[in-house]
Amino acid sequence: MIDLELVKLEIKLLEPALFTARRLGSTYLLSENYIKAGALKGAIVNEAFRKDSAIGKKALEELSVSSAYPSGSLPAHAYILLFKRKSQVFYEKKGILSADDLFEKKFYSETLRWLKELKEDLKPEPKSVIGSIVKFSESFEGYSTYKKVTAEAVVVPNVAVSKRSGSSQRGMLFFYETVKTGSYWALVDYSKWKELGLEDELTVTLGKSRIGGEARISLVQKNVEYAEKGNAYCLTECLPSFGSAPVFDYERALSAASVYRGWFTNDDFSSTKPVFSVMKEGSILKLKSSSGAEKLMPAGLNFMLSAEDGYSMLKSIGEVS
């Protein structure tokens, strides 16, 4: 049995922040619409280091924190189905993640048939968009609806300063697409948080420090169940094996591929780089045993949850009513 107690963190972004997703050209940086686990943990660890280097080092090695998602939202799994591309409406049948035959093709076909009966004008055919961040919209008898999250952004110009002249460097005008202030939620290992002596409320800096990004983090006593066997929902990226070495044991998966990124520095610059392939947030697994998965949770991986559906999970932590 895995000794793990996951509780909710509330994150309130007090200033616009940049969570770089990709570049357009060489001078325009687009931001993610959620906060990666590494960015959130880095902010917490940095605050811990400021107070006590020993606590900061231990937090870096042992603290497990998930990615943070806008309030009321989560990564879509294979059965949160996109109805119409233009309207960006998603449908989820209640209780679907607890189905015994969840991973069978027949079950997926039956789910499509159910949705077609529910919505007669179902054209084109609904599709899965695993990992897309969707926000709960409404709950009906037997199903729930979601809408795709599009982060409200503010474009901030920034000029590189020449080390020689001390003035702006020619041709080095950058534009950062920063996420507006708002609320996010994440999960953290409660026992480790308390063991490290971290306060129930912290003020940290998220994202690129030159852009701002001050945030207030609050610990909330809302627990979720970590999956040890059976159907499991990946709240974060999941890694079942590292090279030829298995991390945990599973039978089936409905997943999409993603790339886990690490950080590197050299004498000239620092940036992220692809490290290894992982299963995307929102992937669903049929576990034989999750034993061993917790070892990679400090890296923001393998937050696998037991849930009947996305709506019930969000409701259990107070994100929806």
Side-chain angles (χ1 to χ4, degrees):
M1 183 176 180
I2 298 173
D3 183 19
L4 190 65
E5 185 179 2
L6 296 177
V7 300
K8 176 184 169 184
L9 287 179
E10 281 185 352
I11 301 102
K12 290 190 176 180
L13 199 57
L14 306 176
E15 298 177 318
L18 172 67
F19 309 112
T20 306
R22 63 186 187 278
R23 290 174 180 261
L24 287 182
S26 60
T27 59
Y28 196 103
L29 283 78
L30 290 172
S31 195
E32 290 272 19
N33 53 12
Y34 70 104
I35 305 169
K36 284 278 191 177
L40 180 57
K41 179 175 176 177
I44 296 169
V45 169
N46 183 58
E47 185 63 23
F49 262 111
R50 288 177 59 185
K51 295 184 177 180
D52 188 311
S53 60
I55 292 175
K57 184 178 180 181
K58 193 170 183 181
L60 178 62
E61 294 173 351
E62 300 179 10
L63 184 65
S64 299
V65 185
S66 76
S67 298
Y69 302 100
S71 184
S73 71
L74 78 173
H77 56 73
Y79 286 96
I80 293 183
L81 296 166
L82 175 60
F83 173 40
K84 287 184 177 180
R85 292 182 184 179
K86 288 185 179 180
S87 65
Q88 293 294 300
V89 178
F90 294 76
Y91 285 78
E92 179 192 39
K93 191 174 184 179
K94 287 185 177 177
I96 198 157
L97 293 182
S98 58
D100 293 333
D101 50 354
L102 183 66
F103 298 88
E104 304 299 331
K105 287 185 179 180
K106 182 182 177 182
F107 185 81
Y108 188 80
S109 299
E110 288 173 354
T111 305
L112 285 180
R113 195 177 305 118
W114 162 81
L115 189 51
K116 287 177 179 179
E117 290 175 359
L118 186 70
K119 303 294 294 183
E120 293 179 357
D121 57 340
L122 206 58
K123 292 180 182 179
E125 189 169 283
K127 67 171 188 174
S128 299
V129 191
I130 297 172
S132 182
I133 310 302
V134 295
K135 185 171 184 177
F136 171 78
S137 180
E138 291 185 80
S139 174
F140 299 92
E141 186 176 351
Y143 69 97
S144 303
T145 60
Y146 300 81
K147 289 190 176 180
K148 187 175 181 179
V149 170
T150 304
E152 292 188 60
V154 177
V155 177
V156 178
N158 203 294
V159 179
V161 176
S162 170
K163 292 181 180 179
R164 292 183 179 179
S165 67
S167 60
S168 60
Q169 193 166 331
R170 187 176 179 180
M172 296 297 284
L173 177 63
F174 293 89
F175 293 91
Y176 298 92
E177 187 180 270
T178 62
V179 176
K180 282 187 176 181
T181 56
S183 297
Y184 295 76
W185 70 274
L187 298 179
V188 67
D189 180 356
Y190 178 73
S191 60
K192 190 59 65 177
W193 183 280
K194 284 302 182 184
E195 182 186 319
L196 292 166
L198 297 173
E199 299 172 10
D200 287 357
E201 288 201 6
L202 296 174
T203 299
V204 301
T205 300
L206 283 162
K208 301 277 187 180
S209 59
R210 72 179 65 178
I211 304 300
E214 186 176 77
R216 184 174 294 117
I217 297 176
S218 304
L219 192 69
V220 181
Q221 291 293 341
K222 295 282 188 180
N223 300 55
V224 295
E225 184 182 352
Y226 189 77
E228 295 190 44
K229 193 177 181 181
N231 295 351
Y233 165 79
C234 291
L235 181 67
T236 61
E237 294 167 326
C238 282
L239 184 66
S241 61
F242 190 74
S244 59
V247 175
F248 60 87
D249 198 6
Y250 75 103
E251 296 179 51
R252 306 280 296 276
L254 291 171
S255 63
S258 183
V259 175
Y260 185 84
R261 292 185 172 272
W263 187 261
F264 77 94
T265 59
N266 60 28
D267 293 338
D268 299 316
F269 64 97
S270 61
S271 186
T272 58
K273 65 175 182 178
V275 181
F276 46 78
S277 180
V278 291
M279 291 181 178
K280 207 168 188 179
E281 303 96 334
S283 296
I284 311 169
L285 302 172
K286 187 173 184 179
L287 295 173
K288 289 184 177 179
S289 171
S290 62
S291 179
E294 72 281 2
K295 294 176 183 177
L296 293 181
M297 290 179 70
L301 296 166
N302 295 342
F303 277 74
M304 299 183 292
L305 309 179
S306 289
E308 292 184 357
D309 49 59
Y311 167 69
S312 65
M313 190 190 72
L314 289 172
K315 189 175 181 179
S316 70
I317 57 173
E319 283 298 306
V320 299
S321 55

